[in-house]
């Protein structure tokens, strides 16, 4: 028998209101024990919550009941909206623990039950988690769209197209003599498979911004010691994050600050100063700095008057960066000496800042906001947001490529590639149903009339 689970769903107490949620086959019995009757579904009811053993009133609360399957989990669900005092919540949880068939919920178990009962697919589950974790407006918008099923609907639509393609190919094999099956249908299928492969490739390219939006744009401060990196980090963060002294090599480890720039998430990373002569601990800091630089979306090279440019830094700058990593030179002490003028090209390469003057980092802040808006697109099309999505989309694309290009293979083997492509999409949403193939064949071709 499935247990009825319960948990405090509204966060830590004390609070003005606490919400205790229940889900499972014994919810009606729990409500009868606590409030005497089961309230009408989807109607809030002010009730006294009583200890079913002693009869003592524990609290007065709003009680809601949602009958399954029309609930979040697909089971009977109840919510007790009581006062958020520690004693009240502790007593209610203790009473629920004493009821037969009831136990505290495991982390994420309500959502897991919703998935198991088909109320949500895996992309919607991930979207719900992202809504809870969202720190910026742009992240919230993307997460809400994914939680609403937009991404799952896109992948499920592609999967159904693949199932239909495979059905057409197999129908030609098995029922070639039937008058309901059009001839040479396989030729059309391979053309459609190629078109779908292009759609998936375009989706993967556009989805890089979706991954950046979810995890935050990585902006790494690099440069020689005492170039003003830590001061710049503090100025951009608006608080004292890093220690700033005249001593070279103060920063030994990686420091991170999360910024909200125009609704876009940016992770600003301060790193150890790069130089040839360094102690053992500082060398480890330099190695970590170079690692973060290789993983960055943007590097801000801190340069003081007379200091080296990124090109002049030589080997200490680390291994060659990825081609898609942008590098800006940031003159950190522009109040001391006028640096060379930035070039006249449309791409920002040099920016003047001063951590000593009011508004001295505003030009850099504006440039970073513009860079984030360019790198993170918020179009209407749903985007893949996780490496898991990208992995299975790549598997699907590869299988489609083999099905389309290996025309010398028997049709059965090419059809198997279509199956693998569809299964890869099904693994993203968590829905793989082999019976769908037969359903399509019998519905579309009236086989066996």
């Amino acid at each position: 028998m499935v247990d009825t689970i319960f948990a405090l769903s509204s966060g830590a107490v004390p609070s003005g209101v606490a919400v205790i949620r229940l889900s499972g086959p014994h919810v009606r019995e729990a409500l009868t024990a606590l409030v005497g009757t089961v309230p009408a579904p989807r109607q809030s009811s002010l009730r006294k919550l009583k200890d079913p053993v002693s009869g003592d009133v524990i609290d007065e609360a709003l009680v809601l009941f949602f009958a399954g399957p029309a609930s979040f989990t697909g089971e009977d669900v109840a919510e007790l909206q009581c006062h958020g005092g520690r004693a009240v919540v502790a007593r209610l949880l203790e009473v629920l623990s004493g009821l037969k068939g009831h136990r505290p919920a495991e982390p994420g178990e309500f959502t897991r039950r919703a998935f198991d009962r088909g109320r949500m697919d895996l992309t919607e589950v991930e979207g719900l988690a992202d809504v809870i974790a969202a720190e910026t407006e742009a992240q919230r918008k993307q997460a809400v769209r994914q939680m609403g099923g937009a991404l799952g609907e896109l992948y499920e639509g592609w999967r159904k197209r693949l199932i239909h393609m495979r059905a057409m190919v197999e129908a030609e094999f098995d029922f070639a003599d039937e008058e309901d099956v059009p001839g040479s249908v396989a030729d059309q299928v391979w053309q459609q498979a190629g078109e779908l492969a292009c759609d998936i490739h375009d989706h993967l390219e556009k989805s890089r911004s979706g991954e950046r939006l979810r995890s935050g744009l990585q902006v790494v401060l690099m440069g020689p010691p005492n170039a003003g990196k830590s001061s710049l980090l503090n100025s951009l963060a608006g608080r004292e994050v890093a220690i700033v002294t005249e001593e070279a090599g103060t920063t030994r480890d990686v420091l991170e600050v999360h910024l909200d720039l125009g609704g876009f998430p940016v992770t600003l990373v301060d790193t150890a100063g790069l130089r040839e002569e360094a102690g053992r601990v500082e060398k480890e800091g330099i190695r970590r700095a170079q690692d973060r630089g290789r993983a960055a979306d943007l590097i801000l090279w801190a340069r003081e008057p007379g200091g080296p440019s990124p090109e002049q830094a030589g080997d200490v700058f680390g291994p060659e960066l990825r081609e898609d990593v942008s590098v800006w030179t940031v003159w950190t002490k522009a109040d001391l000496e006028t640096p060379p003028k930035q070039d006249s090209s449309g791409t920002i390469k040099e920016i003047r800042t001063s951590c000593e003057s009011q508004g001295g980092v505003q030009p850099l802040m504006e440039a970073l906001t513009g860079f984030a808006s360019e790198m993170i697109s918020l179009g209407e099309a749903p985007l893949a947001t996780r490496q898991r999505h990208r992995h299975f989309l790549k598997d699907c694309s590869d299988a489609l490529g083999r099905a389309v290009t290996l025309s010398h293979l028997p049709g059965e083997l090419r059809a198997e590639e279509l199956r693998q492509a569809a299964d890869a999409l099904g693994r993203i949403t968590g829905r793989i149903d082999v019976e769908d193939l037969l359903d399509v064949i019998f519905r579309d071709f009236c086989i066996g009339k």
Side-chain angles (χ1 to χ4, degrees):
M1 186 66 177
V2 178
D3 291 330
T4 293
I5 57 175
F6 61 87
L8 175 66
S9 298
S10 54
V13 293
S15 59
V17 176
V19 179
I20 297 176
R21 176 183 288 175
L22 301 86
S23 178
H26 304 298
V27 166
R28 296 171 190 261
E29 290 92 326
L31 290 174
T32 301
L34 287 170
V35 304
T37 60
V38 179
R42 301 181 178 276
Q43 295 183 19
S44 61
S45 177
L46 183 63
R47 302 291 186 92
K48 286 183 171 59
L49 304 178
K50 297 182 179 181
D51 186 324
V53 177
S54 67
D56 292 342
V57 175
I58 301 172
D59 193 18
E60 192 171 39
L62 284 176
V63 179
L64 293 96
F65 172 65
F66 305 88
S71 68
F72 174 70
T73 63
E75 304 173 315
D76 284 349
V77 172
E79 288 187 359
L80 311 177
Q81 299 181 7
C82 59
H83 293 95
R86 287 191 175 91
V88 172
V89 172
R91 184 61 182 146
L92 282 172
L93 295 178
E94 181 182 1
V95 167
L96 289 171
S97 294
L99 297 177
K100 183 179 180 180
H102 290 67
R103 64 169 175 82
E106 298 291 335
E109 192 170 2
F110 287 96
T111 306
R112 175 61 187 268
R113 291 193 175 193
F115 169 72
D116 288 341
R117 287 158 181 78
R119 300 292 294 175
M120 307 175 75
D121 66 32
L122 286 182
T123 63
E124 292 171 310
V125 170
E126 291 165 337
L128 174 60
D130 288 345
V131 166
I132 296 172
E135 296 181 345
T136 71
E137 179 65 7
Q139 286 178 321
R140 182 195 65 78
K141 288 181 178 180
Q142 175 171 270
V144 167
R145 186 184 305 172
Q146 182 170 332
M147 183 181 66
L151 191 62
E153 289 175 4
L154 175 65
Y155 296 156
E156 186 64 14
W158 286 346
R159 190 176 75 90
K160 288 180 178 178
R161 285 169 62 182
L162 283 166
I163 291 171
H164 186 272
M165 292 177 202
R166 187 179 167 214
M168 300 301 103
V169 173
E170 299 214 355
E172 189 172 80
F173 297 153
D174 299 334
F175 307 103
D177 295 335
E178 293 283 343
E179 59 183 20
D180 293 315
V181 181
S184 303
V185 70
D187 294 338
Q188 302 174 24
V189 166
W190 307 129
Q191 179 181 348
Q192 295 168 8
E195 293 170 354
L196 179 56
C198 291
D199 291 343
I200 293 175
H201 178 268
D202 291 344
H203 176 72
L204 280 169
E205 288 298 312
K206 294 176 182 177
S207 289
R208 294 185 184 278
S209 61
E211 294 181 57
R212 288 191 180 104
L213 177 55
R214 180 178 174 272
S215 60
L217 206 65
Q218 300 294 306
V219 178
V220 178
L221 285 164
M222 301 184 75
N226 266 357
K229 298 186 299 301
S230 296
S231 296
L232 187 59
L233 178 80
N234 291 341
S235 296
L236 290 171
R239 57 190 175 90
E240 295 296 318
V241 179
I243 298 174
V244 178
T245 70
E246 297 298 325
E247 180 183 345
T250 303
T251 301
R252 301 292 183 88
D253 207 345
V254 172
L255 298 176
E256 292 188 358
V257 174
H258 299 283
L259 304 179
D260 180 346
L261 298 182
F264 299 103
V266 173
T267 299
L268 187 63
V269 183
D270 186 20
T271 62
L274 305 179
R275 60 177 175 176
E276 295 285 359
E277 298 179 1
R280 181 177 178 183
V281 174
E282 193 176 347
K283 283 183 178 178
E284 175 61 21
I286 291 173
R287 185 193 66 78
R288 296 184 183 187
Q290 293 170 342
D291 287 345
R292 293 303 295 265
R294 286 191 291 272
D297 297 298
L298 171 66
I299 291 176
L300 301 181
W301 180 264
R303 185 179 183 185
E304 60 182 339
S309 67
E311 295 78 11
Q312 295 170 337
D315 294 337
V316 77
F317 191 61
E320 185 178 352
L321 297 173
R322 303 191 325 268
E323 293 183 357
D324 59 340
V325 177
S326 299
V327 180
W328 295 356
T329 297
V330 179
W331 293 89
T332 56
K333 302 175 183 179
D335 54 310
L336 301 180
E337 181 179 329
T338 302
K341 295 181 180 180
Q342 72 180 57
D343 61 30
S344 59
S345 67
T347 302
I348 298 176
K349 290 186 177 180
E350 297 186 352
I351 301 177
R352 296 180 58 183
T353 65
S354 172
C355 299
E356 300 298 326
S357 61
Q358 186 175 6
V361 296
Q362 190 60 31
L364 177 58
M365 189 74 79
E366 293 174 355
L368 286 174
T369 302
F371 180 79
S373 65
E374 291 176 5
M375 295 292 288
I376 302 176
S377 173
L378 284 178
E380 293 300 319
L383 301 174
T385 58
R386 296 173 183 254
Q387 179 58 34
R388 184 181 75 85
H389 303 167
R390 181 173 292 278
H391 173 79
F392 287 121
L393 286 169
K394 182 68 165 53
D395 285 351
C396 177
S397 179
D398 290 345
L400 280 173
R402 291 190 296 269
V404 172
T405 59
L406 301 180
S407 57
H408 62 282
L409 292 178
E412 292 87 348
L413 294 181
R414 299 176 75 187
E416 175 62 15
E417 297 291 354
L418 296 180
R419 184 195 66 78
Q420 292 184 17
D423 283 357
L425 291 175
R427 290 188 178 94
I428 300 178
T429 60
R431 295 174 178 171
I432 301 177
D433 188 356
V434 295
E435 295 299 318
D436 289 352
L437 179 62
L438 294 178
D439 291 341
V440 171
I441 291 177
F442 283 94
R443 184 184 67 242
D444 288 1
F445 291 106
C446 303
I447 302 299
K449 60 183 179 180

